[in-house]
Amino acid sequence: MAGPTHEVFNQFDELSGYDLLATDAALRDALARAGAQWALPQLGAYGAQLGRAETYQLARDANRHGPEMRPFDSRGRRVDQVEFHPSWHTLMALYRAQGLISLPFSNAQPGRWSAWAAGFYLHGQVEQGTLCPATMTTASIPVLQKEPALWAQLQGKLYSDAYDARDVPVADKASVWLGMGMTEKQGGSDVRANTTQATPLRSGPGAGGRGGEYLLRGHKWFFSAPMCDAHLVVAQTPHGGPACFYVPRWRPDGSKNAVHVQRLKDKVGNRSNSSSEVEFDGAWGLLMGEEGRGIPTIIEMATMTRLNCVIGSAAMLRQATVQAIAYARQRQAFGKRLAEQPLMRSVLADLALESEAALVLAMRLAHAFEHADDPAQRAWKRVVTPAAKFWVCKRAVELTGEAMEVFGGNGYVEDGVMARLFREAPVNSIWEGSGNVMCLDVLRALAREPEAAAALLAELAQDAAGEPRLVAELDTLAQWLGQGAPVPEAAARTLTQRLALVAQACLLRRHAPACVADGFIATRFADPHWGRVVGALDARALAVDALLERAFPA
């Protein structure tokens, strides 16, 4: 293109207009392993739709024109509404139409959790903010199922694939969204420090019984997606301790519930989604479970949302890797395409290895969630989920920055995909428990269920057999865990990192092509300096062309 002073050449836009599933061999392999081939037609159509330039534009618009707070209507009546750009609603409707909200629970076919994870992973490559209410809604289903009367009212609306954006009482809606509210100013991850109070609407015998009505007074410092139709909220009861409550936006009598949005958070990333501060001024709520059991009740929901964090971060790693490879194959510098230059090949190979390792771990966890009644799978769900959240989410933070650097200054401007990925990546490390919380959770799980840890290491040992580096790593972990004393808290990050890495390596050895598995093991377990900088490896020892072709076919 010629301008008045110069010709524009050697400039290439970020990738769009491609099929996300057709170009992802690792994801298709994972679906086949899970027996989820029945989902391929719909997931294929969804991957093609998500990859369109128009969908990338929707994501750009939803993040550029973020939600706006409208606390009052034109006559001063409190409405606590959050208004969104039309692109947000289009993306929300697109996700809901796939049936992904209820898929793990409403579908009895084998591989349903893997099919759900694949759909979530595909969507997360293009837009992440809309996955926040989707995550919480899906995770609320098993908690709500334990409340028969409430579940009878909500089941059809949760299982609906229709998108209903109206701000009206639940009874009048075709479908609903659920959120959660735990974090308070003084407590953060320490939910037991919460001060919000819940008072029974009536006194006497049975007042605090299951399903009882309460009024909540207090606050939440982070209250995600306040336009959800209801939230599950933790509050203190007068005598029983913390409890979990179902708190709708509208009371059963049709009046606005007293959940007052104070302001929206001005976040680093996740700009399309609304996160807020709220106050409960006598907000009406229904007790979920029993008084004093609020934290275990809400943690059941949080266990699944942590899996979502792993999948979402794997999705960002995938998108960063694909964008970097596609760009490097076109852009020239110093007489060669970037993808042909030795040092860049080291960076791209590292990205490709990290991306597939994150995916194979995320999909293995989805399989464990589907078969959670199996004791052998429980170790993956209970021990490896927090380890994966710690490791994969942190890797996404580093590697999205590295992929941005492949684009140079073009990656550092807001017009492109790379800046949004970079700003989005940290949220999954922080949300649902920061890195330290995840590592301490791993220690707790290992201490409480040592037999699960032993079963996990035994399973990994089968995949490690014949690979001395992995055998040695598993032996070291077994020694740590078999000392008879708890692993010191100060060592929790080291243990968790090593557990996540060896799990990824063993899974790749079982499922991935040799170029991927051998490359991952050679770089992650042979070189003591690996990990300080992305691409700090000798690409001459790797099958780089095969790695890049598998990651994203030329």
Side-chain angles (χ1 to χ4, degrees):
M1 177 178 178
T5 63
H6 63 286
E7 182 179 355
V8 179
F9 65 98
N10 198 28
Q11 285 281 358
F12 304 96
D13 297 328
E14 287 89 345
L15 179 68
S16 66
Y18 72 105
D19 188 323
L20 273 65
L21 182 59
T23 54
D24 194 339
L27 181 57
R28 297 196 307 275
D29 289 349
L31 290 167
R33 287 196 301 273
Q37 295 94 329
W38 52 268
L40 285 174
Q42 183 171 355
L43 288 171
Y46 194 33
Q49 186 172 10
L50 286 167
R52 293 174 185 166
E54 296 84 354
T55 311
Y56 275 88
Q57 186 62 44
L58 288 171
R60 179 179 180 273
D61 291 343
N63 283 271
R64 179 164 291 245
H65 307 287
E68 296 182 357
M69 177 65 195
R70 189 166 77 93
F72 301 97
D73 69 10
S74 61
R75 294 298 179 265
R77 292 178 286 260
R78 184 122 204 178
V79 293
D80 293 291
Q81 288 185 336
V82 180
E83 298 178 343
F84 295 87
H85 190 269
S87 58
W88 165 270
H89 294 292
T90 301
L91 289 164
M92 291 278 281
L94 179 62
Y95 185 87
R96 186 116 203 183
Q98 310 309 310
L100 294 167
I101 292 293
S102 64
L103 179 58
F105 308 104
S106 62
N107 189 313
Q109 297 190 77
R112 59 191 178 277
W113 277 81
S114 296
W116 160 79
F120 191 94
Y121 177 77
L122 291 170
H123 189 102
Q125 293 177 47
V126 180
E127 211 289 306
Q128 287 268 332
T130 41
L131 292 179
C132 177
T135 288
M136 296 185 293
T137 302
T138 299
S140 73
I141 289 176
V143 179
L144 293 166
Q145 286 175 332
K146 296 179 180 179
E147 303 293 331
L150 184 57
W151 178 245
Q153 300 174 32
L154 296 178
Q155 179 180 0
K157 302 175 190 297
L158 286 165
Y159 283 7
S160 172
D161 298 340
Y163 177 60
D164 189 342
R166 295 175 300 155
D167 183 20
V168 296
V170 166
D172 298 330
K173 296 202 67 172
S175 64
V176 294
W177 300 88
L178 268 288
M180 62 196 304
M182 292 191 288
T183 305
E184 296 185 4
K185 295 183 180 76
Q186 72 285 342
S189 295
D190 184 4
V191 182
R192 293 189 182 278
N194 284 5
T195 61
T196 295
Q197 298 294 313
T199 305
L201 269 175
R202 59 186 177 89
S203 60
R210 192 180 191 99
E213 299 178 63
Y214 288 68
L215 295 180
L216 277 65
R217 180 175 294 277
H219 82 285
K220 295 297 171 185
W221 184 232
F222 279 89
F223 196 71
S224 291
M227 287 303 292
C228 284
D229 298 285
H231 287 74
L232 299 187
V233 173
V234 175
Q236 300 284 352
T237 56
H239 307 293
C244 180
F245 298 89
Y246 169 84
V247 181
R249 271 186 62 79
W250 297 84
R251 297 186 186 95
D253 63 7
S255 62
K256 174 74 175 59
N257 207 1
V259 181
H260 300 318
V261 181
Q262 302 302 102
R263 64 173 176 174
L264 299 184
K265 296 289 192 181
D266 187 10
K267 296 168 294 182
V268 172
N270 204 242
R271 307 286 294 186
S272 66
N273 177 46
S274 59
S275 300
S276 64
E277 301 164 20
V278 302
E279 289 190 350
F280 305 120
D281 189 10
W284 181 89
L286 284 177
L287 177 64
M288 304 282 293
E290 302 172 1
E291 289 189 0
R293 297 291 298 167
I295 295 175
T297 299
I298 204 76
I299 285 297
E300 180 179 352
M301 184 175 176
T303 299
M304 182 174 174
T305 57
R306 289 172 177 176
L307 171 62
N308 290 62
C309 289
V310 177
I311 302 169
S313 289
M316 284 187 272
L317 279 169
R318 168 68 183 171
Q319 182 67 187
T321 299
V322 166
Q323 292 289 348
I325 293 173
Y327 187 75
R329 283 172 174 162
Q330 300 175 89
R331 177 80 170 179
Q332 292 199 10
F334 309 110
K336 288 184 180 178
R337 296 185 189 275
L338 294 179
E340 298 170 348
Q341 302 193 24
L343 198 52
M344 180 60 76
R345 286 167 64 81
S346 294
V347 171
L348 297 177
D350 215 352
L351 291 171
L353 291 170
E354 196 73 41
S355 176
E356 183 154 352
L359 174 64
V360 74
L361 183 56
M363 296 302 284
R364 178 62 182 85
L365 292 175
H367 176 81
F369 273 67
E370 182 169 333
H371 302 279
D373 293 337
D374 182 346
Q377 302 302 321
R378 178 172 172 78
W380 284 91
K381 180 179 179 181
R382 183 64 189 90
V383 178
V384 184
T385 298
K389 182 186 179 303
F390 169 78
W391 181 245
V392 174
C393 295
K394 287 201 176 299
R395 295 300 287 161
V397 175
E398 180 177 355
L399 271 74
T400 52
E402 194 69 50
M404 174 191 284
E405 193 171 323
V406 173
F407 285 75
N410 288 338
Y412 197 64
V413 296
E414 289 290 354
D415 287 340
V417 174
M418 306 312 297
R420 187 167 72 249
L421 286 174
F422 180 70
R423 286 187 286 101
E424 191 76 30
V427 69
N428 285 336
S429 276
I430 298 169
W431 190 47
E432 302 299 16
S434 63
N436 283 353
V437 172
M438 291 301 98
C439 294
L440 293 174
D441 197 30
V442 170
L443 294 192
R444 281 191 293 270
L446 292 171
R448 290 174 181 172
E449 303 182 36
E451 67 286 350
L456 175 64
L457 293 180
E459 179 183 338
L460 293 175
Q462 294 178 12
D463 295 319
E467 172 44 71
R469 290 166 291 195
L470 298 186
V471 171
E473 184 67 12
L474 287 169
D475 285 345
T476 300
L477 287 174
Q479 291 172 16
W480 276 34
L481 301 177
Q483 292 175 348
V487 176
E489 282 191 10
R493 283 192 171 220
T494 301
L495 172 69
T496 302
Q497 173 181 323
R498 295 179 76 162
L499 177 61
L501 274 169
V502 77
Q504 287 180 323
C506 289
L507 289 169
L508 289 173
R509 196 159 186 256
R510 186 194 311 175
H511 299 306
C515 66
V516 179
D518 294 348
F520 188 86
I521 294 167
T523 54
R524 273 61 177 169
F525 293 92
D527 185 350
H529 299 294
W530 172 82
R532 294 182 180 177
V533 178
V534 174
L537 49 83
D538 188 351
R540 294 174 299 177
L542 303 177
V544 176
D545 290 334
L547 283 173
L548 300 188
E549 183 65 19
R550 176 168 172 82
F552 190 66

